[in-house]
Amino acid sequence: MKLVFATNNAHKLREVQQTVGEAFELVSLKECGITEDIPENEPTLEGNAFVKARYIYSRTGLNCFADDTGLEVEALGGEPGVRSARYATDGHDDEANKCLLLERMEGKENRAAQFRTAMALILDGKEYLFEGIVRGKILHEQRGEGGFGYDPLFAPEGWDCSFAEMSAEDKNSISHRGRAVRKLAEFLNK
Ligand code: IMP
């Protein structure tokens, strides 16, 4: 069965394809003819994930899923949350985002945070939601060179290193996105 995944990131597509398995052929946005940006202006991760999935479904009529992720920091009342990509600027400037996060965390003793992924699936017109969470803490300085986004500032619970210091396999085995995708895969393969 063909399933559109709301991404054009080949790495993400491959990784999710491996988890979902061969019974489903994942198709990128470009491959199904969607080249325009899909608006993501909802106030919640779930809202954005569903807006994207509904957009694809109405354009193509194909079964599809879309995700949205945010870093939720307890001492900042859940910020940057749904605005994680555009925390410091309107663009996706990882360095500026990390600097702003460190600035806002100055003097904060509570470093608890979580990454949360909302994954919206539309299958034969019915809507489903899956969630993946990984808890951890915000470090006082960047550690590691791997990963992307806030990875160098986030240490997952139970690990003595940042996401940016972990192998892609280790990160995927405990990450928010990995967890949400495995829930989706379990559901699809039931
Ligand atoms: P998206 O919904 O996957 O595009 O994620 C939105 C934003 O959250 C990204 O631009 C990153 O800043 C941040 N983010 C999402 N996933 C991760 C991750 O695994 N590590 C670090 N930052 C992430």
Side-chain angles (χ1 to χ4, degrees), residues 123-190:
L123 198 64
D124 301 327
K126 282 206 193 108
E127 299 189 343
Y128 305 88
L129 179 69
F130 305 91
E131 185 183 66
I133 291 177
V134 58
R135 295 200 168 83
K137 62 177 184 196
I138 302 300
L139 296 168
H140 290 272
E141 59 195 11
Q142 299 200 43
R143 280 177 58 180
E145 304 292 328
F148 71 103
Y150 298 90
D151 277 351
L153 287 178
F154 183 83
E157 234 168 51
W159 291 69
D160 192 21
C161 60
S162 78
F163 260 174
E165 294 174 307
M166 292 170 74
S167 69
E169 291 73 31
D170 280 345
K171 182 185 164 191
N172 189 38
S173 73
I174 59 160
S175 81
H176 43 299
R177 205 171 3 263
R179 285 177 174 158
V181 172
R182 282 190 292 279
K183 284 186 190 170
L184 171 88
E186 212 172 283
F187 174 82
L188 288 172
N189 287 297
K190 246 203 321 236

Side-chain angles (χ1 to χ4, degrees), residues 8 13 19 27 40 42 47 52-54 56-57 63 77 81 84 88 97 109 133 141 143 145 148-149 160 167 176 181:
N8 280 320
L13 196 74
T19 310
V27 177
E40 292 183 44
E42 294 296 309
K52 285 188 274 186
R54 287 178 194 134
I56 298 165
Y57 193 71
N63 292 324
S84 291
N97 287 340
E109 275 185 26
I133 291 177
E141 59 195 11
R143 280 177 58 180
E145 304 292 328
F148 71 103
D160 192 21
S167 69
H176 43 299
V181 172

